């Protein structure tokens, strides 16, 4: 059957989303808990129920978006796996230096300066320690919030939201496995 391109993309995306929902944990661990649990980058997160859209762009399995608003580009939480920002040091060391700019580090000082100008210019960055993975919180001038979680020396998880408050993000990260 010769379908228009948007329909072919949907026929690819629908099985991926169904597979995500039913096999990787975008479901409630308890039948009486309405919050979906999402498994991403080896960590699980409980999200608010009933997102309006769940999207994984075609060909980009390292990005997952939950949209809770009808307004364009508003009301979202996104998960993405990212490469290391600075190759001169580990992601953990880079974010430690971004949170504590006076700290001596092997990281590229220019990379740290550019990052902090972008993500921590007006709002202080924070370290949220954890037994498994430290999380680093940043808020941009346009009120978007970011959490970076170093997973390995050259890989990290980024959570980006204009929907979650700082406390909601902290709770989200604090309850991840």
């Amino acid at each position: 059957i010769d379908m228009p391109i948007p329909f072919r993309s949907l026929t690819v995306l629908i099985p991926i989303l169904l597979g995500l929902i039913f096999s990787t944990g975008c479901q409630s661990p308890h039948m009486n808990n309405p919050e979906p649990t999402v498994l991403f980058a080896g960590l699980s997160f409980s999200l608010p129920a009933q997102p309006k859209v769940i999207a994984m762009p075609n060909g980009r399995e390292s990005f997952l978006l939950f949209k809770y608003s009808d307004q364009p580009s508003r009301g979202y939480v996104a998960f993405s796996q990212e490469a290391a920002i600075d190759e001169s040091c580990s992601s953990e060391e880079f974010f430690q230096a971004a949170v504590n700019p006076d700290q001596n580090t092997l990281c590229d000082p220019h990379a740290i300066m550019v990052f902090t100008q972008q993500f921590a210019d007006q709002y202080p960055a924070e370290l949220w320690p954890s037994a498994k993975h430290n999380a680093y919180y940043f808020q941009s001038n346009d009120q978007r919030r970011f959490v970076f979680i170093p997973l390995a020396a050259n890989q990290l998880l980024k959570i980006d939201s204009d929907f979650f408050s700082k406390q909601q993000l902290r709770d989200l990260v604090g309850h991840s496995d």
Side-chain angles (χ1 to χ4, degrees), residues 19 48 62 94 103 137 163 175:
S62 62
F94 179 86
Q103 176 180 319
Y137 172 82
F163 178 67
H175 294 111

Side-chain angles (χ1 to χ4, degrees), residues 55-177:
M56 180 181 286
N58 197 10
R60 189 153 179 231
E61 64 277 349
S62 62
F63 182 82
L64 183 60
L65 174 81
F66 293 82
K67 190 158 175 6
Y68 292 88
S69 171
D70 290 326
Q71 293 180 335
S73 302
R74 302 295 303 158
Y76 68 89
V77 61
F79 297 84
S80 60
Q81 284 186 272
E82 307 285 338
I85 295 172
D86 180 5
E87 294 184 10
S88 66
C89 62
S90 72
S91 292
E92 185 72 41
E93 189 175 0
F94 179 86
F95 286 106
Q96 285 283 341
V99 170
N100 303 308
D102 297 330
Q103 176 180 319
N104 288 334
T105 181
L106 297 175
C107 299
D108 178 0
H110 181 72
I112 294 168
M113 181 188 72
V114 169
F115 181 87
T116 54
Q117 284 175 345
Q118 179 69 33
F119 289 97
D121 188 35
Q122 292 183 352
Y123 301 93
E126 293 183 20
L127 162 63
W128 296 341
S130 168
K132 287 189 177 184
H133 300 284
N134 287 334
Y136 297 89
Y137 172 82
F138 300 89
Q139 182 174 326
S140 66
N141 296 340
D142 63 359
Q143 301 303 305
R144 291 185 307 150
R145 294 166 186 87
F146 301 87
V147 175
F148 293 89
I149 302 173
L151 301 173
N154 62 349
Q155 188 180 42
L156 58 110
L157 169 64
K158 178 176 84 172
I159 303 170
D160 174 3
S161 183
D162 70 343
F163 178 67
F164 279 16
S165 68
K166 177 180 171 181
Q167 187 59 50
Q168 287 172 311
L169 279 170
R170 190 173 193 141
D171 292 345
L172 178 78
V173 170
H175 294 111
S176 66
D177 297 66

Side-chain angles (χ1 to χ4, degrees), residues 1-5 7-8 11:
I1 299 174
D2 189 28
M3 291 187 271
I5 290 175
F7 289 114
R8 276 189 259 157
T11 60

